[in-house]
Amino acid sequence: MEKETKKQGTFGWGKGITVALVLFMGFILTMATVMMSKGVELETEDYYLKEMAYEQEIQALKNANNLDKKISIETDGEFLIVQIPEGKFKDIQLELFRPNDKSEDKLYNINDSRIFMIEKNELKHGQYNVAISYLESGTVCLQKEKIFIQ
């Protein structure tokens, strides 16, 4: 009689471990399915060529950091505002990269303007990687930063 009460009252280690493994495998399969369904795109298609020009990019970043006056990017309620200080800034190119959606990347050429404004409703909500390249007194400069559009 004593053996019967033990069998009825215990769940058993073997069954518990089996249930735990089945739940864990279900969790892993669910996570794998979710992760595989997300689209992942490269930031740029020609990343290998850009990697080869990386030394030039580093020098352009250093050139921009050494400037007394830099181009600034700000956001307000309705606009993304690029302010260009007085100086010899030429061939200004503003690139907005959307890390998760290449179709939302934007490219603007800024000429003969000290303030350049982009309406926020032109941009999707979320993160953009910003790259501003320009010539300042004949020197190639590059500024990079991240902005969040809300």
Side-chain angles (χ1 to χ4, degrees), residues 88-94 109-111 132-135:
K88 298 180 180 177
F89 295 92
K90 294 187 180 189
D91 298 331
I92 302 168
Q93 193 172 54
L94 171 67
N109 290 313
I110 304 172
N111 297 314
I132 303 173
S133 59
Y134 53 91
L135 294 174

Side-chain angles (χ1 to χ4, degrees), residues 70-76 79-86 89 92 94 108-119:
K70 298 177 189 168
I71 295 176
S72 67
I73 298 176
E74 301 171 3
T75 57
D76 69 1
F79 295 98
L80 173 69
I81 303 167
V82 179
Q83 293 184 339
I84 302 156
E86 292 292 325
F89 295 92
I92 302 168
L94 171 67
Y108 301 95
N109 290 313
I110 304 172
N111 297 314
D112 303 324
S113 177
R114 294 286 169 222
I115 295 178
F116 183 76
M117 298 169 60
I118 302 168
E119 289 187 39

Side-chain angles (χ1 to χ4, degrees), residues 10-148:
T10 60
F11 183 63
W13 281 100
K15 290 181 182 176
I17 291 172
T18 303
V19 169
L21 284 175
V22 168
L23 290 174
F24 179 72
M25 288 189 301
F27 171 74
I28 295 298
L29 288 174
T30 303
M31 290 302 293
T33 304
V34 168
M35 294 299 175
M36 296 286 242
S37 67
K38 298 286 182 186
V40 178
E41 296 181 16
L42 297 173
E43 187 170 318
T44 60
E45 288 296 322
D46 56 347
Y47 71 97
Y48 182 73
L49 294 174
K50 286 199 172 196
E51 180 67 27
M52 303 215 18
Y54 193 61
E55 286 297 322
Q56 294 170 346
E57 183 178 321
I58 291 172
Q59 187 58 47
L61 287 166
K62 286 180 183 177
N63 293 342
N65 284 335
N66 291 333
L67 294 176
D68 293 330
K69 297 178 183 178
K70 298 177 189 168
I71 295 176
S72 67
I73 298 176
E74 301 171 3
T75 57
D76 69 1
E78 297 177 33
F79 295 98
L80 173 69
I81 303 167
V82 179
Q83 293 184 339
I84 302 156
E86 292 292 325
K88 298 180 180 177
F89 295 92
K90 294 187 180 189
D91 298 331
I92 302 168
Q93 193 172 54
L94 171 67
E95 295 178 87
L96 300 174
F97 298 106
R98 183 74 184 216
N100 62 346
D101 188 0
K102 181 184 175 185
S103 67
E104 293 297 320
D105 291 355
K106 306 282 185 189
L107 175 65
Y108 301 95
N109 290 313
I110 304 172
N111 297 314
D112 303 324
S113 177
R114 294 286 169 222
I115 295 178
F116 183 76
M117 298 169 60
I118 302 168
E119 289 187 39
K120 282 187 176 180
N121 61 10
E122 286 183 37
L123 306 171
K124 278 191 172 180
H125 296 281
Q127 176 183 330
Y128 283 88
N129 296 332
V130 179
I132 303 173
S133 59
Y134 53 91
L135 294 174
E136 198 281 329
S137 300
T139 304
V140 177
C141 298
L142 176 66
Q143 291 177 227
K144 287 186 168 185
E145 63 183 86
K146 294 179 182 180
I147 59 168
F148 294 91

